[in-house]
């Protein structure tokens, strides 16, 4: 099946620094990717939709100047957490949809393994 | 986007069949239903997807009644490794729609 990778898998940084997380679709092209954040014992919360060649679309309450998204190519989207603070510590997950085939126009979301961010 | 409701948690024992039901009363005509599994500190993994009636694959079955207002994920003979959170999502038709995750069901399988 399709594979989505994320790098790094975990990162520890000091408060005030910026952290970049990469999401790659390894064997298919993705014009759209999604970024989620997940706190312990909670569900995934959609942060933004990453669009190749255009600006990302952010969900309500997500600061676009803090969470910079760049969809540089059909296989790569990056999320940069700028001026990170301890409250940004979380599990960040990306996903990329791919057509499921069968001629029905359905799609399947393939998720990356996640990136654990700890801000000290 | 249709909202889904699932039990917060379920307990089972190895070898038993587990059925997790999800309610999606506001499902639209073009929506289809997808279930994902998530282990701790991992991204969700696709399990099964369907539109109506019954769908079966190598790991699970999905039952969808005629009114499509609910769906049931059936896991046959669970093992300890099936302990995970299971999410039911209703995806809004075609065009790479974004997903809205509900609370999910935390399944604990005991020996």
């Amino acid at each position: 099946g399709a594979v989505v990778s994320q790098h790094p898998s975990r990162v520890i940084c000091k408060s005030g620094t910026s952290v970049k997380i990469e999401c790659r679709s390894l064997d298919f092209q993705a014009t759209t990717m999604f970024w989620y954040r997940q706190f312990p014992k909670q569900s995934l919360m959609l942060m933004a939709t990453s669009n190749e060649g255009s600006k990302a679309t952010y969900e309500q309450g997500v600061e676009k100047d803090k969470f910079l998204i760049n969809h540089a190519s059909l296989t790569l989207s990056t999320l940069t957490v700028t001026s990170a603070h301890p409250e940004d510590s979380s599990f960040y997950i990306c996903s990329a949809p791919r057509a499921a085939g069968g001629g029905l126009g359905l799609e399947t979301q393939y998720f990356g393994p996640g990136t654990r961010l700890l801000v000290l | 986007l249709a909202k889904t409701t699932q039990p917060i948690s379920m307990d089972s024992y190895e070898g038993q069949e587990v059925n997790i039901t999800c309610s999606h009363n506001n499902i639209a005509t073009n929506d289809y239903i997808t279930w994902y599994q998530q282990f701790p500190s991992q991204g969700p993994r696709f399990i099964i997807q369907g539109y109506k009636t019954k769908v079966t694959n190598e790991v699970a079955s999905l039952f969808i009644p005629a009114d499509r207002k609910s769906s049931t994920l059936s896991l046959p003979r669970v093992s300890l490794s099936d302990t995970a959170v299971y999410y039911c999502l209703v995806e809004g038709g075609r065009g790479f729609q974004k997903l809205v995750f509900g609370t999910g069901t935390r399944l604990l399988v005991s020996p």
Side-chain angles (χ1 to χ4, degrees):
Chain A
V3 178
V4 174
S5 70
Q6 282 184 240
H7 178 80
S9 58
R10 59 176 57 206
V11 56
I12 302 173
C13 69
K14 293 182 179 180
S15 185
T17 61
S18 294
V19 175
K20 180 185 286 188
I21 302 170
E22 293 184 346
C23 177
R24 294 182 184 271
S25 56
L26 297 184
D27 53 355
F28 66 102
Q29 294 181 334
T31 56
T32 302
M33 292 183 177
F34 302 98
W35 286 96
Y36 300 82
R37 180 167 53 181
Q38 186 175 33
F39 293 106
K41 303 292 186 182
Q42 295 186 22
S43 184
L44 283 78
M45 183 179 69
L46 179 66
M47 298 176 67
T49 302
S50 174
N51 304 300
E52 190 271 335
S54 64
K55 292 182 178 180
T57 305
Y58 291 83
E59 296 300 303
Q60 189 173 9
V62 178
E63 299 175 60
K64 60 181 180 181
D65 294 331
K66 181 170 183 63
F67 298 99
L68 301 180
I69 291 173
N70 182 28
H71 200 134
S73 74
L74 289 173
T75 59
L76 173 64
S77 174
T78 59
L79 168 68
T80 301
V81 183
T82 63
S83 186
H85 288 91
E87 57 266 29
D88 298 323
S89 298
S90 188
F91 191 52
Y92 292 86
I93 306 170
C94 70
S95 74
R98 183 183 187 186
L104 298 177
L106 301 182
E107 63 189 33
T108 300
Q109 293 277 353
Y110 292 92
F111 289 83
T115 297
R116 177 77 58 192
L117 170 63
L118 177 61
V119 184
L120 302 177
Chain B
L1 296 171
K3 183 178 178 180
T4 59
T5 304
Q6 313 173 223
I8 296 294
S9 64
M10 294 183 67
D11 294 323
S12 183
Y13 293 96
E14 281 189 294
Q16 290 190 335
E17 178 184 76
V18 172
N19 296 306
I20 306 174
T21 297
C22 176
S23 296
H24 27 80
N25 292 318
N26 297 323
I27 190 169
T29 302
N30 292 334
D31 291 341
Y32 52 97
I33 300 142
T34 311
W35 285 78
Y36 293 86
Q37 175 192 55
Q38 186 182 29
F39 296 112
S41 296
Q42 294 186 27
R45 182 176 73 100
F46 171 87
I47 300 176
I48 198 166
Q49 184 177 74
Y51 183 81
K52 61 180 179 180
T53 63
K54 177 183 176 182
V55 180
T56 298
N57 62 21
E58 61 276 9
V59 297
S61 293
L62 178 60
F63 298 92
I64 306 169
D67 66 5
R68 304 201 323 123
K69 294 184 183 297
S70 66
S71 60
T72 299
L73 174 71
S74 181
L75 304 173
R77 296 188 300 280
V78 294
S79 63
L80 298 178
S81 62
D82 292 317
T83 293
V85 179
Y86 293 83
Y87 293 98
C88 158
L89 283 93
V90 173
E91 302 191 40
R94 307 173 184 184
F96 297 160
Q97 300 289 326
K98 60 184 181 182
L99 299 181
V100 177
F101 281 78
T103 59
T105 297
R106 191 172 298 273
L107 173 65
L108 174 63
V109 180
S110 301

